[in-house]
Amino acid sequence: MIVDDHPVVRDGLRGMLDADGRFTVLGEAGDGREALAVADAVCPDVVLLDLRMPVLDGVSTITELKARGCAARVLVLTTYDTDTDVLPAMRAGATGYLLKDTPRDELCRAVAAAHRGESVLSPAVAGRLIDRLRSPGQEPLTQRELEVLALIARGCSNKEAARRLFVSEATVKTHLLHAYAKLGVRDRAAAVAVAFERGLLGPR
């Protein structure tokens, strides 16, 4: 399945994969929420996924797919290789992370490898992960984690936050757990307090 908010990119990827006899493109989606519906309908083995999309971003889409028990391998294909893009995607459960300048043959090999359950990383991304391991630092919260914390700070329950963000309650809990780990806290109240102290949520 191909998930990207640019039709021309989806068309190019479909043509590339259709030309390789090993693959069949079962479906396409232009945003994360649509991707969840299509994945439920076609049950793909591999999902080629962009990160920055409208409605539901790539990391939230990966998290929600996992929460729903989707067995598809998710191979991120994007133009972004910063720590704030790579690390959350891998933590959410992506099998691999490639950049959109990846040559055709390498992309096809990566899709096949992802189907086998092998981790696939572009050289630039692999280098970033190695550098991060060598010099760990404080990891920033993702935009979705900040959105969840902001709703919690306003008094929303996990269920209400899930409804407003169009995700499952399990996904909200996952974002909260990631936020707790990054902020060094163990509960909602402490997470909100520390987020305000660091200026992540703005003034009270």
Side-chain angles (χ1 to χ4, degrees):
M1 186 171 80
I2 300 169
V3 186
D4 194 291
D5 59 327
H6 294 98
V8 68
V9 173
R10 296 199 305 272
D11 289 346
L13 289 172
R14 176 181 279 276
M16 189 184 305
L17 294 169
D18 282 344
D20 189 306
R22 293 173 292 176
F23 312 118
T24 300
V25 179
L26 299 177
E28 299 179 13
D31 61 63
R33 194 191 306 173
E34 183 184 0
L36 298 176
V38 175
D40 285 343
V42 304
C43 299
D45 294 312
V46 178
V47 177
L48 271 179
L49 178 77
D50 193 11
L51 281 186
R52 301 191 185 180
M53 301 180 294
V55 185
L56 193 67
D57 64 84
V59 171
S60 297
T61 302
I62 297 170
T63 302
E64 184 68 14
L65 285 170
K66 299 302 179 183
R68 294 183 177 200
C70 178
R73 312 286 187 180
V74 179
L75 184 56
V76 171
L77 184 64
T78 185
T79 55
Y80 306 99
D81 65 350
T82 65
D83 287 356
T84 54
D85 293 303
V86 175
L87 297 172
M90 299 306 293
R91 182 177 286 109
T95 298
Y97 197 112
L98 297 177
L99 301 181
K100 287 183 177 176
D101 61 0
T102 300
R104 177 195 304 258
D105 291 345
E106 288 183 23
L107 176 61
C108 289
R109 283 197 296 271
V111 172
H115 179 247
R116 295 192 298 268
E118 299 173 10
S119 294
V120 184
L121 298 173
S122 72
V125 170
R128 282 190 174 278
L129 291 177
I130 291 171
D131 289 343
R132 185 60 183 251
L133 289 173
R134 287 174 176 166
S135 56
Q138 182 177 308
E139 186 177 343
L141 270 65
T142 66
Q143 183 61 39
R144 184 60 83 175
E145 288 161 359
L146 289 171
E147 290 170 352
V148 169
L149 276 182
L151 289 173
I152 297 304
R154 294 181 195 140
C156 289
S157 64
N158 287 359
K159 184 176 182 179
E160 176 63 14
R163 186 185 68 78
R164 295 193 183 191
L165 295 174
F166 302 102
V167 298
S168 70
E169 208 171 331
T171 296
V172 169
K173 290 179 181 177
T174 298
H175 285 309
L176 281 175
L177 289 174
H178 289 167
Y180 295 169
K182 293 176 181 179
L183 296 172
V185 299
R186 295 184 178 181
D187 58 49
R188 297 155 61 95
V192 170
V194 171
F196 274 120
E197 287 173 6
R198 295 185 183 178
L200 298 176
L201 296 180
R204 290 178 185 268

